[in-house]
Amino acid sequence: MLTRSEEDHIKAVYALLQEGESAFTKDIAECLRTKASSVTDMLKRLAEKGYLKHEPYYGAKLTAKGRSLALQLVRKHRLWETFLVERLGFGWDEVHDVAEQMEHVASDKLIDKLDAYLGRPHFDPHGDPIPDRNGKLRQRKTKRLDSCKPGETVRIAAVSETTDGLLRLLDSKGLRIGTTLAVQEVHAFDGSMDVKPKSGSAFSLSKDVSHHLQVENP
Amino acid sequence: MLTRSEEDHIKAVYALLQEGESAFTKDIAECLRTKASSVTDMLKRLAEKGYLKHEPYYGAKLTAKGRSLALQLVRKHRLWETFLVERLGFGWDEVHDVAEQMEHVASDKLIDKLDAYLGRPHFDPHGDPIPDRNGKLRQRKTKRLDSCKPGETVRIAAVSETTDGLLRLLDSKGLRIGTTLAVQEVHAFDGSMDVKPKSGSAFSLSKDVSHHLQVENP
DNA sequence: AAAATAGATTAGACCAGGCTAAACTATTGT
DNA sequence: ACAATAGTTTAGCCTGGTCTAATCTATTTT
């Protein structure tokens, strides 16, 4: 049985590797609001238990065992987020911290029943894919909104940054998962972009926002 | 913020006092599967924080603050049990351990929304009362089945012992919360009791079983 | 190539929370 | 009344997980 802190470290390594960055000690520390020295200790312990490979001074890589555990945690986190938003009526910007606690409840049967209860969803309220029981992720071919050209019409598939501020901003502009947008113009000066939702009038999005919106062809 | 272990100790003291027994160190230790010495340490810490009064050699009593906290924990536990049974389809004998973990998730908003989602129930799947937001318990006038006389007809209101074994036994005999029974005969020899459910034929219950069934007038 | 620097690791301390063993209190039996 | 006993507390130790300070390694600058 792993402790909560051990699970958190594995999740952090997984999350950092996901984004293409390598999982360096200081990044993990920042991610978990702890100190680099504590992370080093933990990486050694987790390496001994076989969840990851720790190359001193060159960061950490998950083993198959570690990756599988991380995917189970992601699965639990996203299922609970889905429950909180769809069943209990939380806003999508409020659920992260609570789901963070719930994902550490240990019971395979619980997660399987929750999954069934929610209708075995493939995506969470932020549009992120939910791994299945075996850790398989359903992939979609998405791109970032800031890589789109004027004239394209796309649907919002996911938000890749779940800070409260961004989620509330999107909410206030009426941008949800599934919203369809036409890209009208991209300004070279600051990378900002004029978009027009299917229903409603056009407005502008800064690059900071469009960078974090994953879109797909409608 | 209290740790999980601190919360568990407060809950144990509350539970022991509920049953009329006084909360002695060894009982708490047994209840939490820990050692008396560890309990003494914890009682001192909790007394300093104002959750209970610790009279050395004479056990512990909760303060108002401690009782209020215990009631919040009981509320969370019973609401999660209700969710697990009514929404996820768990059997009533399977939910205790999982609810034990979920009750430590900290979010008042979560509990309030869960309560609303479940229709603000007053009793959990074992028939135990669920304290409201302010810690008020709805009381019923119940008695133990083993105190009933032949000829009485009563309804099962609660099961006061939630071991898997007892719950499965009741399940197999078709005894649920709400089942109505007629007491036919009580045998002085061993305290066993012949009962007849409204629908179905009579059978015998040992005193060990009837002792843990809370019943009310139908 | 040597110096400077960013980052990682080690060493050593601390705290919470658990344990065992020994010492202490209260109660019970004779 | 005093010895035995049941139960509680104290003292001291251990582990997991955190920290700071000091040291070490790799990289970048000059």
Side-chain angles (χ1 to χ4, degrees), chain A residues 73-87:
Chain A
L73 288 169
V74 169
R75 172 171 160 78
K76 291 199 257 179
H77 185 96
R78 293 183 180 165
L79 283 172
W80 282 120
E81 282 197 346
T82 305
F83 170 72
L84 293 171
V85 170
E86 291 192 358
R87 302 299 165 120

Side-chain angles (χ1 to χ4, degrees), chain A residues 130-163:
Chain A
I130 299 174
D132 68 17
R133 216 176 333 205
N134 308 310
K136 266 255 178 62
L137 274 169
R138 193 160 298 234
Q139 289 300 355
R140 293 192 283 190
K141 22 187 177 22
T142 62
K143 51 191 169 184
R144 295 204 308 259
L145 179 57
D146 65 356
S147 72
C148 294
K149 304 270 174 291
E152 282 190 70
T153 295
V154 294
R155 184 172 50 225
I156 297 177
V159 183
S160 62
E161 170 89 17
T162 59
T163 54

Side-chain angles (χ1 to χ4, degrees), chain B residues 9-10 13 42-54 60-63 65-66:
Chain B
H9 280 76
I10 289 170
V13 171
M42 188 59 88
L43 291 181
K44 273 195 280 189
R45 195 168 335 140
L46 290 173
E48 269 169 28
K49 294 193 185 181
Y51 290 97
L52 47 80
K53 285 252 177 293
H54 180 213
K61 275 198 188 59
L62 290 178
T63 60
K65 183 176 170 189

Side-chain angles (χ1 to χ4, degrees), chain B residues 3 5-6 34-35 37-38 41-42 45 57-58:
Chain B
T3 66
S5 169
E6 287 170 331
T34 177
K35 295 295 144 72
S37 57
S38 308
D41 283 354
M42 188 59 88
R45 195 168 335 140
Y57 299 101
Y58 286 96

Side-chain angles (χ1 to χ4, degrees), chain B residues 140-190:
Chain B
R140 292 190 284 191
K141 28 199 168 12
T142 62
K143 52 190 168 182
R144 294 203 309 259
L145 178 57
D146 64 358
S147 73
C148 295
K149 304 269 174 290
E152 284 190 69
T153 295
V154 294
R155 184 173 48 226
I156 298 177
V159 183
S160 62
E161 170 89 17
T162 58
T163 54
D164 289 7
L166 176 60
L167 294 175
R168 268 200 289 274
L169 174 72
L170 295 175
D171 225 28
S172 74
K173 303 216 178 214
L175 297 176
R176 313 274 145 85
I177 303 296
T179 301
T180 300
L181 294 175
V183 179
Q184 298 191 315
E185 201 170 340
V186 178
H187 304 284
F189 171 61
D190 61 355

